[in-house]
Amino acid sequence: MNTNTAPSTALPTAAGRVCAPASPTASHPANHARPVPGAPSGLAEFRRGLRAGLPVMLGFLPFALVLGAQAAQKGLSLLEVPLMTGLNFAGGSEFTAVRLWSSPPHVLLIVAMSALVNSRHLLMSAALAHLPTRRALAALFFMCDESWALGLADARQQPGGRLSLGHYLGVSAGLYATWVSGTALGAALGPVIGDVQRYGFDMAFTAVFLVLLRGLWPGWRRSLPWMGSLVVAALASRLLPGVWYVAAGALTGVGLAAWMARGAADAAGDGAGEAPVAGDAR
Amino acid sequence: MIDPTHLLTIGLMALSTYLTRALGYLALRDRPLGPRLRAVLEAVPGCVLISVIAPAFVADRPADLLALGLTLLAALRWSMLPTVLVGIVAAGVLRQLL
């Protein structure tokens, strides 16, 4: 399943060219368990990540422009906008914050809502659990949905199934630069931008997520949590205000996954622990 | 150029955002994951991502739904960049036409 995820189809030739001479592990995953996470030359991994992030950077740009323009309308200054997007690299929470922004802002309301939107990161950060503490704590600063998903999709291609720090940082660097400069530009251009929806750029975001989802697809048999998330989030987006639909959908899916996993663990004993990983190429 | 209340809000947002990431890592780091927790964590990414784009599946305009369908087809076959381009062009053109 995971042999044809997005990053792999976009990248193998380029990555192979860059990495092959330096790291035989990259071209013969079956022969070696990777000894150290991120071992194949850091710079090559970084460049590979940067390249993998390009389509997402394209998708980021319209959102960054819109967010910057909206923030400027709400009274955030040309310095404050990149300050917010640079210190708080999490687009969903920023859109929420800007929507709630007033003059003067309700500090606690905004902080509480943005924390709620970001609460999914509590679980997502487990993907970096194998990294040494200091590196992980630095890398976590850049962990938005997209950098995390690209890093994870790539990890599933790797022999050890672990996230490559170099690749992740390459992805993050490109996304971060695009996001912070894009929002600043949006704040500067402000009213000139208007409604990007009219031009279809918002579909870039959906397209990126669909391709990422294809790479994570667990197969029909285990797709129930996905379907639960989709249905509940879609309904909630029509019925609830703001961005609660993300929390509602994600919690539904995670709850269903927990429920399904209990059944599997009871039925199959210790073998069940390997089940979630069995879909990998190994 | 920088309002103190704005600065406070931004600072607290940044702190809470970072904490959601760091606390999860610190809590799950040294723990051997049981099969159940592991299965749940495996499911998190898909559930989050599909929830984020779920509103597109119940869009009001036929043009948006049609564009979503085309983008979905593209996503099944192609890599990221062509899919993104198909999505943008399909949504842009269909919204003009329908």
Side-chain angles (χ1 to χ4, degrees), chain B residues 38-72:
Chain B
R38 193 164 166 169
V40 171
L41 290 179
E42 291 265 336
V44 172
C47 294
V48 170
L49 296 184
I50 210 167
S51 298
V52 170
I53 59 167
F57 288 81
V58 287
D60 286 318
R61 303 178 54 183
D64 288 3
L65 290 173
L66 206 55
L68 176 68
L70 290 175
T71 312
L72 186 60

Side-chain angles (χ1 to χ4, degrees), chain A residues 36-124:
Chain A
V36 187
S41 150
L43 188 63
E45 284 290 281
F46 185 86
R47 283 162 58 178
R48 200 167 63 80
L50 204 58
R51 209 166 310 189
L54 272 175
V56 186
M57 287 161 69
L58 183 68
F60 262 25
L61 203 56
F63 283 94
L65 292 172
V66 169
L67 179 68
Q70 284 181 353
Q73 266 179 359
K74 291 276 188 153
L76 284 152
S77 75
L78 214 54
L79 267 180
E80 288 165 351
V81 171
L83 195 66
M84 175 166 83
T85 56
L87 288 178
N88 175 81
F89 185 47
S93 68
E94 288 159 5
F95 273 103
T96 312
V98 167
R99 197 172 305 166
L100 297 171
W101 206 277
S102 50
S103 187
H106 297 284
V107 181
L108 289 181
L109 174 76
I110 291 175
V111 173
M113 286 302 126
S114 77
L116 268 179
V117 172
N118 286 334
S119 56
R120 63 186 182 282
H121 292 157
L122 278 171
L123 284 176
M124 287 157 56

